[in-house]
């Protein structure tokens, strides 16, 4: 099944008998988010390419790479070379945070194949949290018209792509908040760790979500403030997702309970876990897309019949 039906300008397609607009939502979860690379690899192996993608935290980073056109093999090489030291630098005199986020900015500038939302291969949006208003902030430039209506809890901001990903990945206390349009932004895990509803609002008719917190994990005793903070937010992610519905047609939950948020020596295995979880679900996903396409065709037929002018005999 091929789903490569985007418009030439990158807008999602759909309707008129075409396959439904397919959206992918990538959840947060620190290093475990590299399982997203395996999920994307599995999707591409069956020709299932999303029309739009959303992400929170590490999900925003992977989404940004994919939407910008980074090939899966290149993405795997970047993932396998990852080291925490590349994205953090301890501040001499901590005020708002322990680490400067400038190294993260340099890292994103180095690896992203496209740094302009408008030039992405497919629309993308990332979730952050406003530290002052507690609002969920959707960052992007395209397909954002649905936000900012009657729901005051959610706002959309047109943003620079690197700053948007950096904001979505900014774990409070560890990294300095990111200011965008006068708003002080931190990690989106506080408001929406698996942004499936965002993909739906952007126009997706079928939404696949990837939740990295399948089961409650056991962690070693933290030995420093970095580990203490990271383990605390991983626990929050688990319970936040467990206690709210993910607005997706399908949720893939890779088996990651044996991996830690800092297992840089097991990145290859984390990617494999994502691929295996996705491969298991692909037949069901293809059926969901096929049913949605048939429903769309039936709606088109009914609309055509209703609109057809009557002829007097």
């Amino acid at each position: 099944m091929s789903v490569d039906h985007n418009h030439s300008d990158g807008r999602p397609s759909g309707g008129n008998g075409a396959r439904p607009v397919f959206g992918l939502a990538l959840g947060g979860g620190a290093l475990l988010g590299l399982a997203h690379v395996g999920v994307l690899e599995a999707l591409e192996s069956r020709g299932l390419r999303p029309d739009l993608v959303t992400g929170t935290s590490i999900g925003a980073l992977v989404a940004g790479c994919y939407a910008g056109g980074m090939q899966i093999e290149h993405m795997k090489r970047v993932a396998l070379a990852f080291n925490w030291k590349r994205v953090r630098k301890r501040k001499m005199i901590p005020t708002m945070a322990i680490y400067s986020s400038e190294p993260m900015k340099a890292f994103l500038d180095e690896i992203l194949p496209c740094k302009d939302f408008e030039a992405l291969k497919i629309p993308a949006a990332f979730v952050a949290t406003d530290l002052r208003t507690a609002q969920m902030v959707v960052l992007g430039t395209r397909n954002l018209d649905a936000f900012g209506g009657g729901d005051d809890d959610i706002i959309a901001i047109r943003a620079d792509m690197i700053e948007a990903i950096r904001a979505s990945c900014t774990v409070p206390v560890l990294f300095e908040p990111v200011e965008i349009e006068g708003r002080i932004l931190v990690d989106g895990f506080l408001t929406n760790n698996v942004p499936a509803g965002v993909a739906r609002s952007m126009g997706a008719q079928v939404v696949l979500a990837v939740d990295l917190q399948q089961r409650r994990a056991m962690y070693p005793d933290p030995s420093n403030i970095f580990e203490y903070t990271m383990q605390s937010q991983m626990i929050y992610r688990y319970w936040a997702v467990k206690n709210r519905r993910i607005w997706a047609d399908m949720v893939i939950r890779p088996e990651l309970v044996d991996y830690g948020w800092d297992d840089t020596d097991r990145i290859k295995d984390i990617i494999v876990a994502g691929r295996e979880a996705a491969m298991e679900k692909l037949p069901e996903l293809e059926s969901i897309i096929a049913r949605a396409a048939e429903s769309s065709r039936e709606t088109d037929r009914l609309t055509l019949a209703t609109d057809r002018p009557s002829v007097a005999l």
Side-chain angles (χ1 to χ4, degrees):
M1 170 186 284
S2 173
V3 300
D4 192 12
H5 292 282
N6 291 343
H7 294 285
S8 60
D9 63 358
R11 292 180 293 113
S13 58
N16 299 319
R19 74 160 176 84
V21 178
F22 174 34
L24 178 63
L26 303 179
L31 203 69
L32 299 181
L34 296 178
H36 294 318
V37 178
V39 171
L40 288 165
E41 184 177 32
L43 291 174
E44 290 219 337
S45 75
R46 298 285 276 265
L48 292 168
R49 298 182 180 86
D51 296 307
L52 60 88
V53 62
T54 62
T56 296
S57 202
I58 182 70
L61 172 56
V62 176
C65 290
Y66 185 74
M70 185 181 289
Q71 299 297 309
I72 299 299
E73 288 304 314
H74 185 188
M75 207 177 296
K76 288 163 72 174
R77 289 194 296 272
V78 172
L80 290 169
F82 179 79
N83 186 299
W84 282 108
K85 292 180 179 178
R86 295 193 66 188
V87 297
R88 72 186 195 207
K89 179 181 180 181
R90 196 173 187 93
K91 300 184 71 174
M92 294 295 293
I93 305 176
T95 50
M96 293 284 285
I98 300 166
Y99 298 104
S100 166
S101 57
E102 286 303 311
M104 186 184 297
K105 185 175 183 178
F107 173 72
L108 294 172
D109 187 57
E110 176 188 335
I111 69 165
L112 288 175
C114 177
K115 305 174 182 69
D116 180 1
F117 275 112
E118 293 292 339
L120 293 176
K121 300 292 185 182
I122 58 174
F126 314 128
V127 174
T129 303
D130 189 311
L131 203 56
R132 284 195 294 245
T133 67
Q135 289 170 305
M136 184 178 92
V137 181
V138 180
L139 300 163
T141 60
R142 296 151 64 187
N143 296 57
L144 300 183
D145 293 341
F147 303 101
D151 190 352
D152 186 53
D153 286 338
I154 305 172
I155 63 165
I157 296 178
R158 298 181 180 275
D160 171 81
M161 187 164 162
I162 287 180
E163 293 299 279
I165 296 176
R166 191 159 70 104
S168 188
C169 294
T170 295
V171 178
V173 180
L174 293 183
F175 295 101
E176 300 167 308
V178 177
E179 184 173 346
I180 298 177
E181 296 292 325
R183 291 178 177 267
I184 306 301
L185 304 181
V186 293
D187 202 309
F189 82 86
L190 290 169
T191 48
N192 193 344
N193 197 50
V194 186
V198 174
R200 186 84 66 190
S201 295
M202 290 175 65
Q205 296 164 303
V206 173
V207 177
L208 171 64
V210 185
D211 173 21
L212 305 170
Q213 308 291 122
Q214 179 186 28
R215 290 188 288 172
R216 180 171 49 82
M218 296 292 291
Y219 300 101
D221 293 343
S223 61
N224 55 59
I225 193 169
F226 183 74
E227 294 178 0
Y228 170 47
T229 305
M230 288 297 292
Q231 287 177 203
S232 297
Q233 60 96 5
M234 292 296 283
I235 292 168
Y236 176 84
R237 289 178 196 269
Y238 169 76
W239 285 102
V241 172
K242 184 180 177 69
N243 290 325
R244 72 185 288 181
R245 179 177 177 182
I246 297 176
W247 294 94
D249 297 278
M250 173 182 285
V251 181
I252 291 176
R253 292 185 170 93
E255 183 59 69
L256 299 169
V257 71
D258 293 329
Y259 303 101
W261 55 265
D262 61 343
D263 269 341
T264 51
D265 57 339
R266 304 178 72 189
I267 290 174
K268 184 176 181 179
D269 296 331
I270 291 171
I271 294 173
V272 169
R275 182 173 68 241
E276 290 178 346
M279 290 300 293
E280 184 178 337
K281 290 279 195 175
L282 286 185
E284 183 182 350
L285 176 62
E286 289 174 329
S287 295
I288 290 171
I289 291 174
R291 288 196 301 270
E294 178 57 33
S295 176
S296 177
R297 285 192 291 270
E298 181 62 24
T299 299
D300 289 343
R301 283 195 292 270
L302 291 172
T303 301
L304 182 62
T306 301
D307 291 343
R308 184 177 294 135
S310 59
V311 179
L313 297 176

